Amino acid sequence: MVYADNAATTKMSKIAVSAMLPYIENFWGNPSSLYSFGQKAAEALVCAREKIAACICASPSEIYFTSGGSESDNQAIISAAKIGARKNKKHIISSSFEHHAVLHTLKKLEKDGFEIELLDVHVNGVINPQQVADSIREDTCLVTVMFANNEIGTVQPIAEIGGVCRARKIPFHTDAVQAAGHIPIDVQKQNIDMLSISAHKFHGPKGVGVLYARKNIPLTNLIEGGAQEKGKRGGTENVPAIIGMAAALEEACANMEENNRKILRLRNKIIGGLKKIPHSALNGDGEKRLPGNVSFCFEGIEGESLLLLLDDRGICASSGSACTSGSLDPSHVLLAIGRPHEIAHGSLRLSLDENNSEDDAEKILQVVPEVVDYLRSMSPLWKDKLIGKREFLLPE
Ligand SMILES: *Cc1c(COP(=O)(O)O)cnc(C)c1O
């Protein structure tokens, strides 16, 4: 099997699994207990918090454990909105291609009287910091822009956007779920006030994540309960998962350069090969993108059929985001970069990691063009294009 869907989830690393096991089998005490058996778990949490803080240049007291990227996004945005509402500031700036954990939270706030301004992400999928500067108003209470996009992999100028927000004293949140463990994060240098990460996107376990919140940002509780996470997130900590997350992030950050050299070589080879398919287009900027992301549109085919045929041939890939497959709507990300509906339906995302090999790349480059050809040969729409009854939308 060729696994090329690492933006959806990743395989757990051996180091993360072996870090977790003792806390499942032996040290299963409650970290809130006073006896030393519980304190063993509490000490491991202290250590995990320190490791994670070090990976993003934060201080351990600014790290809050959550159930994953979605919860972190919700808590960050709702916290900033609550503070804003108290001062009658109800304008929020974001972008049109955020993850649904951000977009749907913003939709809910809109119903509560907030004004949501979604910035245009242009054909290359990159926001210009000047757009943020131009949109900030007296009543802006939050800017939330994702670090790297989960579908087309484009990386935003986060330090510059953060700088604009800092100068105007507006809290800046970034969904860094696709960035953490893959590209460098420094919340100090990049002027980030809040940041969301999720362990299962960097070879850690599922169902655990982090919200980083700078010291001066008061968080709102989403989950009421005990005094865990300084009272900001009740519930007994998922100790093994948190320890697995810390081990995975530490490993990913230590090996980042070496992994990325390999991943980039494979990615560029695949992009170069797929570009040769007639009437195809790479989605998103060619340079400002995650090392592992390949995202294409192929005219005249349907993404779901492509995925099923690739699955038959042993390739795991994705079309649009995992959260929207199952619905017939084209990806909001591809529409945001201006792809027409018809083209947006024919998309393919391959997301690589360091476990992918040259053989995987060869197989992808052999199978994808064959499957695209096959699907086109069956399509009445494609025939119409060939005989000139319909126009081609993507150049040859
Ligand atoms: C996967 C993902 C999320 C959601 O994270 P979960 O831990 O699965 O809740 C949020 N944002 C982005 C950009 C993602 O890729």
Side-chain angles (χ1 to χ4, degrees):
M1 179 181 86
V2 175
Y3 186 77
D5 202 15
N6 287 282
T9 198
T10 57
K11 179 183 171 163
M12 273 193 69
S13 82
K14 288 206 165 62
I15 288 179
V17 173
S18 47
M20 286 172 78
L21 281 177
Y23 291 89
I24 296 171
E25 291 178 335
N26 305 321
F27 311 118
W28 40 264
N30 189 320
S32 300
S33 303
L34 291 179
Y35 38 77
S36 51
F37 181 58
Q39 283 310 297
K40 186 107 185 142
E43 283 159 22
L45 287 184
V46 169
C47 180
R49 212 182 291 278
E50 285 169 357
K51 277 187 189 170
I52 291 169
C55 290
I56 61 170
C57 306
S59 110
S61 64
E62 297 169 316
I63 301 297
Y64 298 84
F65 298 128
T66 67
S67 67
S70 301
E71 182 185 328
S72 299
D73 285 343
N74 274 257
Q75 191 170 19
I77 293 168
I78 290 169
S79 296
K82 279 248 165 85
I83 303 163
R86 261 185 251 137
K87 302 178 196 154
N88 215 14
K89 294 184 172 187
K90 296 183 110 180
H91 178 242
I92 298 177
I93 300 168
S94 188
S95 81
S96 52
F97 71 168
E98 296 292 314
H99 190 272
H100 284 132
V102 168
L103 286 180
H104 291 174
T105 305
L106 294 176
K107 264 246 134 43
K108 211 155 96 181
L109 288 172
E110 202 166 33
K111 291 201 183 100
D112 294 337
F114 282 81
E115 191 183 328
I116 311 298
E117 184 170 345
L118 298 182
L119 301 175
D120 180 16
V121 297
H122 313 286
V123 277
N124 66 342
V126 182
I127 289 168
N128 183 334
Q130 189 59 41
Q131 289 170 267
V132 177
D134 292 343
S135 300
I136 288 177
R137 311 191 312 211
E138 280 302 309
D139 61 343
T140 304
C141 65
L142 172 70
V143 173
T144 174
V145 171
M146 71 199 314
F147 209 120
N149 184 271
N150 46 305
E151 279 183 50
I152 60 173
T154 51
V155 178
Q156 305 306 315
I158 288 299
E160 291 78 6
I161 294 174
V164 167
C165 297
R166 189 61 54 87
R168 303 283 297 272
K169 297 192 167 61
I170 314 282
F172 172 50
H173 166 253
T174 184
D175 174 340
V177 173
Q178 290 291 333
H182 300 280
I183 52 176
I185 295 179
D186 180 331
V187 295
Q188 307 304 337
K189 286 199 185 126
Q190 291 163 335
N191 305 305
I192 299 165
D193 296 314
M194 290 187 282
L195 169 132
S196 307
I197 72 179
S198 174
H200 75 103
K201 304 288 176 76
F202 51 77
H203 305 290
K206 292 171 183 55
V208 65
V210 158
L211 173 59
Y212 152 81
R214 192 174 289 279
K215 280 186 187 68
N216 58 348
I217 304 269
L219 292 182
T220 299
N221 306 9
L222 295 190
I223 299 179
E224 299 291 349
Q228 293 92 353
E229 302 308 296
K230 293 190 274 178
K232 297 301 178 192
R233 206 273 183 181
T236 303
E237 299 88 343
N238 188 347
V239 178
I242 290 168
I243 287 163
M245 166 166 66
L249 188 60
E250 192 177 44
E251 183 188 8
C253 291
N255 300 331
M256 193 182 283
E257 270 183 50
E258 190 190 334
N259 287 344
N260 281 345
R261 260 197 301 278
K262 177 180 181 194
I263 297 169
L264 261 175
R265 200 175 55 239
L266 295 178
R267 183 200 80 182
N268 291 341
K269 181 172 176 170
I270 295 173
I271 289 180
L274 295 184
K275 271 186 173 166
K276 293 185 191 142
I277 297 178
H279 306 285
S280 70
L282 178 70
N283 295 314
D285 198 277
E287 302 293 323
K288 294 172 187 154
R289 67 190 301 130
L290 290 169
N293 179 283
V294 176
S295 170
F296 267 84
C297 281
F298 303 111
E299 182 160 6
I301 66 155
E302 219 267 302
E304 314 279 292
S305 327
L306 177 63
L307 293 190
L308 292 177
L309 291 175
L310 289 181
D311 184 28
D312 275 347
R313 307 277 300 262
I315 298 175
C316 304
S318 136
S319 175
S321 66
C323 326
T324 50
S325 30
S327 95
L328 287 174
D329 295 336
S331 140
H332 71 286
V333 174
L334 297 174
L335 296 180
I337 59 167
R339 296 283 184 223
H341 277 240
E342 183 195 321
I343 297 298
H345 273 296
S347 69
L348 173 68
R349 177 188 73 185
L350 300 160
S351 40
L352 311 171
D353 77 352
E354 62 278 13
N355 300 315
N356 288 115
S357 63
E358 290 285 340
D359 285 350
D360 290 350
E362 296 291 346
K363 177 153 184 192
I364 287 167
L365 287 177
Q366 191 206 328
V367 172
V368 173
E370 283 175 17
V371 172
V372 169
D373 263 356
Y374 171 72
L375 286 171
R376 283 175 173 172
S377 73
M378 310 229 303
S379 155
L381 192 90
W382 187 254
K383 284 198 187 99
D384 282 355
K385 293 188 188 231
L386 287 179
I387 59 171
K389 254 170 91 179
R390 273 173 196 268
E391 258 182 85
F392 283 107
L393 300 175
L394 293 176
E396 181 145 13

